[in-house]
Amino acid sequence: MKYDNKGVMRIVELTGETKQSILDDLLKRSPNNYSQYEEKVNEIIGKVKTERDQALFEYTLKFDKFVLTEDNIKVTGQEIDEAYKKLDPKLVDVIRKSAENIRTFHTKQLRNSWFDAREDGTILGMKITPIAKAGVYVPGGKAAYPSSVLMNVIPAKVAGVGEIIMTTPPGSDGSVNPGTLVAADIAGVDAIYKVGGAQAIAAMAFGTQSIPKVDKITGPGNIFVALAKKAVYGYVSIDSIAGPSEILVLADETANPRYVAADLLSQAEHDELASAILITTSRQLAEQVSVQVGEFVEQLSRTEIMRKSLDNYGYILVADNMRDAIDAVNEIASEHLEILTANPFEVMTKIKNAGAIFLGEYASEPLGDYFAGPNHILPTNGTAKFFSPVNVDDFIKKTSIISYSREALEKVHRDIEKFAESEGLTAHANSIKVRFE
């Protein structure tokens, strides 16, 4: 690897070797690589499964320093009213506007049941049904993000989920972040419980005296939450096992280096494991962005986090041509991809793998995080190769419908019998055969 030390970010020539090295580096951040915590997580899940509410009370006292009881585990209407009073009314208005944009976008994803009837009496179809209960996990403390509440709850609401509950850790005084409560109320959550961590995931997966069992759990959290979701998958459905945040900017010589630097840092500030990568065909832009990043880091508030993020997982890759750059983009399969090139829409047609794509210099990543409408809960750690953003389909079930008349079955019954007999399943074959004896 060749590095340039004029700025804060390392500048690396894009080759097959450097690309693979970076891919290996990024994959180290996957929750699948934190097996040392699995035993503790499984212990928590097992205790909640058997001791139910009592386990929640004990873990909340241990981890959150709050005396949780059956009387205060559920957030009251009065607490929600007080949360509105604590928030700036202008912020409440922004949350409402954001919610409406998210609702409008996700409404376009709705599917209808369909049936295909043929003249011979064959009827095939797909019945669309929303899941009955969904559970949303929301982190607490400094990691409380009202925007994520909207992104989890509104698609479920649009899908028609019958009951949506939310769990979030309380402060030591039993309070819940007011922004979280207001966002939950605006989005339409039915009940909120003051429980956090792996124990909250276990409660939603198996049910306790206070918290109902759900059919699907969504929402971000720390490594214990991620591993708990992985452990309960199969008992319930989950959205994904999310890794640290990441951004990839694909730019040519026409990009504004100040914009690029600002956008890279918008993700680097999340945490020390966040990844911020620029792939460009311009060596000049690479050097300008590295210098500009250094200037921004000194001006912005989360300086230490950004520095460590860039030291660990920040790269500027200089490609010989746009084709090589696009190949690298598709290999990395980033959570957020910004395209800042002369013809971003043309480049976009060649992108196969990305969680969300932002086109042009006025579509920066925070637009998607907060306001535009598409979901910001996105696949990370290269899983955009096979996962999608959270969407309405995550909260529906598809049931196949099959009906044949005697006439329709008579035409094909021997084919079915032959297929079944070839697999040694004579009872299968007989189930068809008896209808024509």
Side-chain angles (χ1 to χ4, degrees):
M1 289 190 181
K2 294 182 181 179
Y3 296 95
D4 184 289
N5 295 316
K6 292 179 182 177
V8 168
M9 293 185 71
R10 57 196 141 186
I11 299 176
V12 184
E13 291 179 12
L14 177 61
T15 65
E17 180 187 349
T18 57
K19 180 172 68 175
Q20 189 58 50
S21 176
I22 290 169
L23 286 169
D24 292 343
D25 204 26
L26 295 177
L27 286 173
K28 292 175 186 175
R29 307 172 311 139
S30 169
N32 293 321
N33 291 328
Y34 289 85
S35 57
Q36 68 267 35
Y37 301 116
E38 286 181 350
E39 185 177 345
K40 181 62 178 175
V41 167
N42 289 333
E43 177 189 321
I44 293 172
I45 292 171
K47 189 175 176 71
V48 172
K49 196 174 179 182
T50 55
E51 300 180 22
R52 307 173 76 198
D53 267 3
Q54 188 55 43
L56 299 183
F57 301 158
E58 290 178 16
Y59 282 125
T60 302
L61 182 60
K62 179 179 179 180
F63 296 128
D64 303 304
K65 313 304 179 194
F66 176 63
V67 180
L68 193 68
T69 68
E70 61 183 13
D71 297 322
N72 63 18
I73 190 172
K74 188 175 180 180
V75 171
T76 65
Q78 182 181 349
E79 287 176 289
I80 292 173
D81 291 341
E82 289 173 358
Y84 275 97
K85 294 174 185 176
K86 291 176 182 175
L87 280 196
D88 181 343
K90 291 182 180 178
L91 176 58
V92 175
D93 187 47
V94 170
I95 293 173
R96 291 189 193 280
K97 289 178 182 177
S98 176
E100 188 54 38
N101 289 343
I102 296 165
R103 190 173 291 109
T104 299
F105 180 85
H106 287 82
T107 297
K108 296 180 187 299
Q109 299 172 352
L110 276 171
R111 300 185 185 213
N112 296 316
S113 300
W114 59 268
F115 299 91
D116 179 23
R118 301 173 189 167
E119 291 182 0
D120 64 1
T122 301
I123 300 175
L124 302 176
M126 188 72 73
K127 185 173 183 290
I128 305 294
T129 311
I131 64 175
K133 292 182 181 179
V136 176
Y137 184 83
V138 178
K142 293 179 180 178
Y145 300 121
S147 58
S148 285
V149 177
L150 303 180
M151 295 292 182
N152 279 281
V153 176
I154 291 174
K157 204 74 179 174
V158 169
V161 173
E163 183 179 354
I164 304 170
I165 71 165
M166 192 175 93
T167 60
T168 189
S172 58
D173 60 352
S175 66
V176 175
N177 181 283
T180 295
L181 293 183
V182 168
D185 186 60
I186 289 171
V189 169
D190 294 296
I192 304 168
Y193 298 94
K194 300 177 182 180
V195 183
Q199 59 271 25
I201 302 301
M204 290 191 283
F206 300 107
T208 72
Q209 291 94 332
S210 298
I211 299 179
K213 180 189 186 315
V214 301
D215 301 306
K216 180 154 193 168
I217 299 172
T218 67
N222 62 20
I223 189 63
F224 290 96
V225 170
L227 290 174
K229 286 170 70 177
K230 181 181 177 183
V232 301
Y233 177 65
Y235 296 99
V236 293
S237 178
I238 63 171
D239 49 354
S240 63
I241 304 169
S245 190
E246 54 198 34
I247 186 170
L248 196 161
V249 178
L250 175 60
D252 61 16
E253 69 283 354
T254 67
N256 183 319
R258 188 171 172 81
Y259 295 173
V260 174
D263 295 353
L264 291 171
L265 292 176
S266 73
Q267 295 309 291
E269 77 168 344
H270 268 294
D271 65 59
E272 296 165 8
L273 294 177
S275 166
I277 298 174
L278 165 64
I279 300 181
T280 181
T281 50
S282 168
R283 163 67 65 167
Q284 182 180 6
L285 179 74
E287 293 172 353
Q288 290 172 333
V289 168
S290 183
V291 171
Q292 186 67 65
V293 164
E295 293 179 10
F296 275 138
V297 165
E298 296 304 320
Q299 299 168 14
L300 300 170
S301 60
R302 295 164 71 90
T303 299
E304 283 309 306
I305 291 174
M306 288 188 288
R307 281 190 182 281
K308 288 180 180 177
S309 169
L310 295 176
D311 286 346
N312 293 330
Y313 302 106
Y315 297 93
I316 296 177
L317 302 176
V318 180
D320 288 337
N321 53 66
M322 188 55 68
R323 185 183 64 188
D324 289 349
I326 290 171
D327 285 346
V329 166
N330 283 323
E331 277 296 305
I332 293 170
S334 186
E335 177 188 18
H336 306 100
L337 170 64
E338 290 187 7
I339 302 178
L340 298 172
T341 61
N343 298 297
F345 283 88
E346 180 186 343
V347 173
M348 180 267 292
T349 63
K350 299 170 184 174
I351 302 301
K352 298 176 182 177
N353 305 318
I357 301 175
F358 300 78
L359 300 172
E361 63 182 7
Y362 294 105
S364 66
E365 190 277 337
L367 176 65
D369 268 357
Y370 295 111
F371 206 75
N375 212 288
H376 79 199
I377 303 167
L378 304 166
T380 58
N381 275 107
T383 59
K385 291 179 178 178
F386 46 83
F387 278 142
S388 304
V390 165
N391 61 87
V392 169
D393 278 1
D394 284 307
F395 300 97
I396 63 171
K397 301 182 288 100
K398 306 178 187 79
T399 305
S400 301
I401 304 295
I402 302 168
S403 177
Y404 267 48
S405 65
R406 178 182 175 85
E407 175 193 353
L409 186 61
E410 190 170 16
K411 293 176 183 176
V412 297
H413 78 93
R414 289 189 177 86
D415 292 338
I416 302 167
E417 292 161 21
K418 186 174 182 64
F419 212 151
E421 287 165 357
S422 76
E423 294 187 346
L425 300 175
T426 55
H428 277 63
N430 188 59
S431 172
I432 299 290
K433 191 180 297 183
V434 294
R435 287 164 165 76
F436 298 98
E437 289 175 344

